[in-house]
Structures are given as structure tokens and as C-alpha cells.
Amino acid sequence: MRPAGGPRPLEEPLAAARDDAVTAAAAAAAYPELAGRLTPLSRARRAHADALAAEIRRARPDRTATVDAAAGATPAPARPAASAAAAVTALRRSLGTARDGAGTLALTVEPSRCGLLTSVAASCAGYVTVLG
């Protein structure tokens, strides 16, 4: 029996990583006191997005246009969180959801994708702790 979770399910954690990267960058810009914590987070989530997109492109070249179009369509948040604390809380919540989603998906994908997803989940877990 072949594991579920081909490249298409990777699109959900890809979208979450892109959203987190944009949200963290916007919060760092709006609240400079958070930049030291949120800029590395934004970069890490952008790296997650890049790795997930690369895997989707590798496994499903027919999805390249969709993956690339979504990358260009990621909007910046309409407005920053009401406060620095609210920004951190929102990011912690989003990262917790991303951690749980990637971890759960890792149990269903082919072994070659498991490492990628567990790495994303571990990184998100680490940032949840750091932002705590």
C-alpha cells in the first residue's frame, strides 16, 4: 500500500509557510522591537516555503504554474496586529497550527517527504518556544 499525501497535500503547509513569512516580516516592520525575533522567523518560513515548493515542482512539474502563481499572489496582511504582543500571539498560534499540520502530514507521506515535513514541524515548534 502506497502512503497517502503526494505533492498536492504539500501545498497546504506551503501556503502556511508563505503566510507566516509575510506576517512575521510585516510585524517586524510595524514593531521594530520585535525585528530581532521575527526577521529570522520570516526567513525560516520563507526557506520552508522554498523547500516545499521545490519538492512539489520536482514531483509534479504540472503543478509548477500553480505553485509559482500562488507565490506571487501572497498578499501582505491588510494591517498589522493591534500591538506587538498581539502580533506574537497570532504568530505563535499560526506556528502551532503549522507544526501540528506538518507533523500529522509527515505520518502519511512517502518517506522521502517525511524528513522535509518533520523539519518544518520541528522548526515551527522551536519558534513557538522562542516566541513564548
Side-chain angles (χ1 to χ4, degrees), residues 9 14 31 34-36 38 41 50 63 65 87 91 93 95 103-104 126 128 132:
L14 168 60
Y31 303 104
L34 296 178
L38 299 186
L41 165 61
D50 291 346
R63 300 292 300 157
L91 280 164
R93 187 177 311 115
L95 290 166
T104 299
V128 167

PDB file of all heavy atoms in Angstrom, residues 9 14 31 34-36 38 41 50 63 65 87 91 93 95 103-104 126 128 132:
ATOM      1  N   PRO A   9      -0.855  17.526  -1.169  1.00  0.00           N
ATOM      2  CA  PRO A   9      -1.023  17.913   0.243  1.00  0.00           C
ATOM      3  C   PRO A   9       0.083  18.834   0.754  1.00  0.00           C
ATOM      4  O   PRO A   9      -0.109  19.524   1.755  1.00  0.00           O
ATOM      5  CB  PRO A   9      -1.024  16.584   0.990  1.00  0.00           C
ATOM      6  CG  PRO A   9      -1.510  15.608  -0.012  1.00  0.00           C
ATOM      7  CD  PRO A   9      -0.924  16.077  -1.327  1.00  0.00           C
ATOM      8  N   LEU A  14       2.815  24.662   2.429  1.00  0.00           N
ATOM      9  CA  LEU A  14       3.473  25.691   1.622  1.00  0.00           C
ATOM     10  C   LEU A  14       2.757  27.034   1.792  1.00  0.00           C
ATOM     11  O   LEU A  14       3.395  28.059   2.055  1.00  0.00           O
ATOM     12  CB  LEU A  14       3.488  25.274   0.148  1.00  0.00           C
ATOM     13  CG  LEU A  14       3.879  26.349  -0.867  1.00  0.00           C
ATOM     14  CD1 LEU A  14       5.274  26.876  -0.612  1.00  0.00           C
ATOM     15  CD2 LEU A  14       3.762  25.784  -2.280  1.00  0.00           C
ATOM     16  N   TYR A  31       6.595  46.724  14.328  1.00  0.00           N
ATOM     17  CA  TYR A  31       7.061  46.746  15.716  1.00  0.00           C
ATOM     18  C   TYR A  31       8.561  46.453  15.723  1.00  0.00           C
ATOM     19  O   TYR A  31       8.981  45.309  15.921  1.00  0.00           O
ATOM     20  CB  TYR A  31       6.287  45.735  16.562  1.00  0.00           C
ATOM     21  CG  TYR A  31       4.797  45.976  16.507  1.00  0.00           C
ATOM     22  CD1 TYR A  31       3.964  45.151  15.743  1.00  0.00           C
ATOM     23  CD2 TYR A  31       4.236  47.062  17.169  1.00  0.00           C
ATOM     24  CE1 TYR A  31       2.609  45.404  15.672  1.00  0.00           C
ATOM     25  CE2 TYR A  31       2.878  47.315  17.097  1.00  0.00           C
ATOM     26  CZ  TYR A  31       2.070  46.485  16.344  1.00  0.00           C
ATOM     27  OH  TYR A  31       0.724  46.748  16.254  1.00  0.00           O
ATOM     28  N   LEU A  34      10.456  43.948  17.790  1.00  0.00           N
ATOM     29  CA  LEU A  34      10.320  42.512  17.523  1.00  0.00           C
ATOM     30  C   LEU A  34      11.199  42.031  16.377  1.00  0.00           C
ATOM     31  O   LEU A  34      11.287  40.833  16.126  1.00  0.00           O
ATOM     32  CB  LEU A  34       8.856  42.171  17.186  1.00  0.00           C
ATOM     33  CG  LEU A  34       7.821  42.387  18.279  1.00  0.00           C
ATOM     34  CD1 LEU A  34       6.435  42.049  17.746  1.00  0.00           C
ATOM     35  CD2 LEU A  34       8.149  41.549  19.506  1.00  0.00           C
ATOM     36  N   ALA A  35      11.819  42.962  15.682  1.00  0.00           N
ATOM     37  CA  ALA A  35      12.567  42.595  14.471  1.00  0.00           C
ATOM     38  C   ALA A  35      13.637  41.540  14.723  1.00  0.00           C
ATOM     39  O   ALA A  35      13.818  40.639  13.904  1.00  0.00           O
ATOM     40  CB  ALA A  35      13.182  43.844  13.834  1.00  0.00           C
ATOM     41  N   GLY A  36      14.327  41.626  15.837  1.00  0.00           N
ATOM     42  CA  GLY A  36      15.369  40.654  16.138  1.00  0.00           C
ATOM     43  C   GLY A  36      14.844  39.241  16.278  1.00  0.00           C
ATOM     44  O   GLY A  36      15.559  38.276  15.987  1.00  0.00           O
ATOM     45  N   LEU A  38      11.590  38.318  14.927  1.00  0.00           N
ATOM     46  CA  LEU A  38      10.699  37.963  13.824  1.00  0.00           C
ATOM     47  C   LEU A  38      11.369  37.908  12.456  1.00  0.00           C
ATOM     48  O   LEU A  38      10.908  37.183  11.578  1.00  0.00           O
ATOM     49  CB  LEU A  38       9.504  38.913  13.784  1.00  0.00           C
ATOM     50  CG  LEU A  38       8.616  38.902  15.024  1.00  0.00           C
ATOM     51  CD1 LEU A  38       7.386  39.766  14.797  1.00  0.00           C
ATOM     52  CD2 LEU A  38       8.225  37.491  15.429  1.00  0.00           C
ATOM     53  N   LEU A  41      12.566  34.438  11.927  1.00  0.00           N
ATOM     54  CA  LEU A  41      11.380  33.600  11.734  1.00  0.00           C
ATOM     55  C   LEU A  41      10.855  33.757  10.315  1.00  0.00           C
ATOM     56  O   LEU A  41      10.552  32.766   9.644  1.00  0.00           O
ATOM     57  CB  LEU A  41      10.296  33.980  12.751  1.00  0.00           C
ATOM     58  CG  LEU A  41       8.887  33.459  12.465  1.00  0.00           C
ATOM     59  CD1 LEU A  41       8.850  31.951  12.427  1.00  0.00           C
ATOM     60  CD2 LEU A  41       7.914  33.998  13.491  1.00  0.00           C
ATOM     61  N   ASP A  50      10.157  27.716   0.232  1.00  0.00           N
ATOM     62  CA  ASP A  50      11.000  27.406  -0.925  1.00  0.00           C
ATOM     63  C   ASP A  50      11.244  25.904  -1.050  1.00  0.00           C
ATOM     64  O   ASP A  50      11.192  25.347  -2.152  1.00  0.00           O
ATOM     65  CB  ASP A  50      12.330  28.152  -0.834  1.00  0.00           C
ATOM     66  CG  ASP A  50      12.182  29.662  -1.004  1.00  0.00           C
ATOM     67  OD1 ASP A  50      11.106  30.138  -1.445  1.00  0.00           O
ATOM     68  OD2 ASP A  50      13.151  30.370  -0.672  1.00  0.00           O
ATOM     69  N   ARG A  63       2.284  21.016 -11.632  1.00  0.00           N
ATOM     70  CA  ARG A  63       1.786  21.932 -10.593  1.00  0.00           C
ATOM     71  C   ARG A  63       2.664  23.181 -10.479  1.00  0.00           C
ATOM     72  O   ARG A  63       2.359  24.081  -9.693  1.00  0.00           O
ATOM     73  CB  ARG A  63       1.743  21.234  -9.226  1.00  0.00           C
ATOM     74  CG  ARG A  63       0.866  20.023  -9.130  1.00  0.00           C
ATOM     75  CD  ARG A  63      -0.603  20.297  -9.232  1.00  0.00           C
ATOM     76  NE  ARG A  63      -1.038  21.183  -8.161  1.00  0.00           N
ATOM     77  CZ  ARG A  63      -2.132  21.942  -8.232  1.00  0.00           C
ATOM     78  NH1 ARG A  63      -2.894  21.926  -9.296  1.00  0.00           N
ATOM     79  NH2 ARG A  63      -2.463  22.733  -7.234  1.00  0.00           N
ATOM     80  N   ALA A  65       3.126  25.855 -12.360  1.00  0.00           N
ATOM     81  CA  ALA A  65       2.451  27.129 -12.607  1.00  0.00           C
ATOM     82  C   ALA A  65       1.571  27.522 -11.424  1.00  0.00           C
ATOM     83  O   ALA A  65       1.549  28.683 -11.004  1.00  0.00           O
ATOM     84  CB  ALA A  65       1.621  27.056 -13.884  1.00  0.00           C
ATOM     85  N   ALA A  87       0.720  40.569  17.868  1.00  0.00           N
ATOM     86  CA  ALA A  87       1.441  40.018  16.722  1.00  0.00           C
ATOM     87  C   ALA A  87       2.132  38.711  17.096  1.00  0.00           C
ATOM     88  O   ALA A  87       2.060  37.720  16.364  1.00  0.00           O
ATOM     89  CB  ALA A  87       2.457  41.031  16.195  1.00  0.00           C
ATOM     90  N   LEU A  91       1.272  34.927  15.680  1.00  0.00           N
ATOM     91  CA  LEU A  91       2.300  34.098  15.060  1.00  0.00           C
ATOM     92  C   LEU A  91       2.485  32.787  15.812  1.00  0.00           C
ATOM     93  O   LEU A  91       2.642  31.734  15.190  1.00  0.00           O
ATOM     94  CB  LEU A  91       3.621  34.855  14.970  1.00  0.00           C
ATOM     95  CG  LEU A  91       3.683  35.838  13.804  1.00  0.00           C
ATOM     96  CD1 LEU A  91       4.831  36.826  13.985  1.00  0.00           C
ATOM     97  CD2 LEU A  91       3.816  35.094  12.478  1.00  0.00           C
ATOM     98  N   ARG A  93       0.244  31.161  17.419  1.00  0.00           N
ATOM     99  CA  ARG A  93      -0.920  30.333  17.073  1.00  0.00           C
ATOM    100  C   ARG A  93      -0.741  29.732  15.677  1.00  0.00           C
ATOM    101  O   ARG A  93      -0.950  28.529  15.475  1.00  0.00           O
ATOM    102  CB  ARG A  93      -2.196  31.174  17.127  1.00  0.00           C
ATOM    103  CG  ARG A  93      -3.462  30.384  16.950  1.00  0.00           C
ATOM    104  CD  ARG A  93      -4.725  31.236  17.077  1.00  0.00           C
ATOM    105  NE  ARG A  93      -4.710  32.085  18.265  1.00  0.00           N
ATOM    106  CZ  ARG A  93      -4.690  33.426  18.236  1.00  0.00           C
ATOM    107  NH1 ARG A  93      -4.698  34.073  17.091  1.00  0.00           N
ATOM    108  NH2 ARG A  93      -4.691  34.120  19.353  1.00  0.00           N
ATOM    109  N   LEU A  95       2.054  29.291  13.993  1.00  0.00           N
ATOM    110  CA  LEU A  95       3.163  28.329  14.004  1.00  0.00           C
ATOM    111  C   LEU A  95       2.770  27.019  14.668  1.00  0.00           C
ATOM    112  O   LEU A  95       3.199  25.943  14.237  1.00  0.00           O
ATOM    113  CB  LEU A  95       4.379  28.928  14.703  1.00  0.00           C
ATOM    114  CG  LEU A  95       5.077  30.058  13.947  1.00  0.00           C
ATOM    115  CD1 LEU A  95       6.034  30.792  14.874  1.00  0.00           C
ATOM    116  CD2 LEU A  95       5.792  29.519  12.723  1.00  0.00           C
ATOM    117  N   GLY A 103       3.477  17.909  11.136  1.00  0.00           N
ATOM    118  CA  GLY A 103       3.748  16.659  11.855  1.00  0.00           C
ATOM    119  C   GLY A 103       2.765  15.564  11.508  1.00  0.00           C
ATOM    120  O   GLY A 103       3.150  14.407  11.286  1.00  0.00           O
ATOM    121  N   THR A 104       1.505  15.908  11.432  1.00  0.00           N
ATOM    122  CA  THR A 104       0.479  14.927  11.067  1.00  0.00           C
ATOM    123  C   THR A 104       0.663  14.462   9.634  1.00  0.00           C
ATOM    124  O   THR A 104       0.588  13.258   9.347  1.00  0.00           O
ATOM    125  CB  THR A 104      -0.929  15.539  11.263  1.00  0.00           C
ATOM    126  OG1 THR A 104      -1.083  15.875  12.638  1.00  0.00           O
ATOM    127  CG2 THR A 104      -2.018  14.575  10.843  1.00  0.00           C
ATOM    128  N   GLY A 126      10.128  25.004  17.537  1.00  0.00           N
ATOM    129  CA  GLY A 126      11.182  25.811  18.145  1.00  0.00           C
ATOM    130  C   GLY A 126      10.806  27.277  18.204  1.00  0.00           C
ATOM    131  O   GLY A 126      11.014  27.949  19.234  1.00  0.00           O
ATOM    132  N   VAL A 128       7.766  28.525  18.236  1.00  0.00           N
ATOM    133  CA  VAL A 128       6.691  28.690  19.222  1.00  0.00           C
ATOM    134  C   VAL A 128       7.317  28.887  20.607  1.00  0.00           C
ATOM    135  O   VAL A 128       6.917  29.757  21.378  1.00  0.00           O
ATOM    136  CB  VAL A 128       5.720  27.497  19.210  1.00  0.00           C
ATOM    137  CG1 VAL A 128       4.809  27.512  20.441  1.00  0.00           C
ATOM    138  CG2 VAL A 128       4.872  27.511  17.943  1.00  0.00           C
ATOM    139  N   GLY A 132       7.564  32.333  22.920  1.00  0.00           N
ATOM    140  CA  GLY A 132       6.788  32.187  24.159  1.00  0.00           C
ATOM    141  C   GLY A 132       6.976  33.287  25.099  1.00  0.00           C
ATOM    142  O   GLY A 132       6.251  33.808  25.825  1.00  0.00           O
TER     143      GLY A 132
END
